[in-house]
Amino acid sequence: MILSLLGLIDILAGVLIIFPLTSPFLLYLAIFCLIKGIISLPSLTEGEIFIFLLGLIDIFAFISLTLAYFNFPNLKIIGFLMIGKGIYSFLAGIRF
C-alpha cells in the first residue's frame, strides 16, 4: 500500500517535471524526492544496485524539480524516468 502511494507521488513528480508549474508545491515535492533518494542510497553497500539506481533517479528528480521551479530548462527524460519508476512502484505495491 505504501509502495503504491509512493509510486503515485513519483508519477506526479514526473508529470510536473515535464509540465512544470511555479508553485511552492513543486519545492515541497522536490524535497520529498530528495529525502527518498537519500534514504535509498545506502543500499549500494548491501549490493542492491537496483534500489540504488531508483534512489539516484529520485535525486535527479529533485534537481529537475528545483530547476523547473526557478524556470530553468531541465531534462525531460528525468520526468519520463520518474513516470516509469512510479508505474513500476505502483504495480509492485498492488501485488497482483
Side-chain angles (χ1 to χ4, degrees), residues 2-96:
I2 293 174
L3 191 60
S4 296
L5 182 64
L6 291 175
L8 290 176
I9 292 172
D10 286 343
I11 292 171
L12 177 67
V15 168
L16 288 177
I17 290 172
I18 296 172
F19 305 109
L21 301 172
T22 51
S23 73
F25 176 72
L26 207 62
L27 285 179
Y28 295 131
L29 189 61
I31 291 170
F32 183 74
C33 287
L34 178 66
I35 292 169
K36 278 183 16 180
I38 289 173
I39 289 172
S40 300
L41 288 182
S43 65
L44 185 62
T45 59
E46 299 171 6
E48 300 281 339
I49 190 75
F50 183 68
I51 296 174
F52 172 75
L53 291 176
L54 294 179
L56 201 58
I57 292 172
D58 280 331
I59 291 176
F60 287 145
F62 161 74
I63 294 168
S64 292
L65 285 169
T66 305
L67 288 175
Y69 177 75
F70 292 111
N71 291 327
F72 286 106
N74 57 6
L75 295 175
K76 303 294 183 191
I77 190 73
I78 302 297
F80 291 115
L81 285 173
M82 278 300 282
I83 291 173
K85 179 181 169 291
I87 291 171
Y88 171 77
S89 297
F90 181 75
L91 292 177
I94 290 178
R95 297 185 194 200
F96 287 106

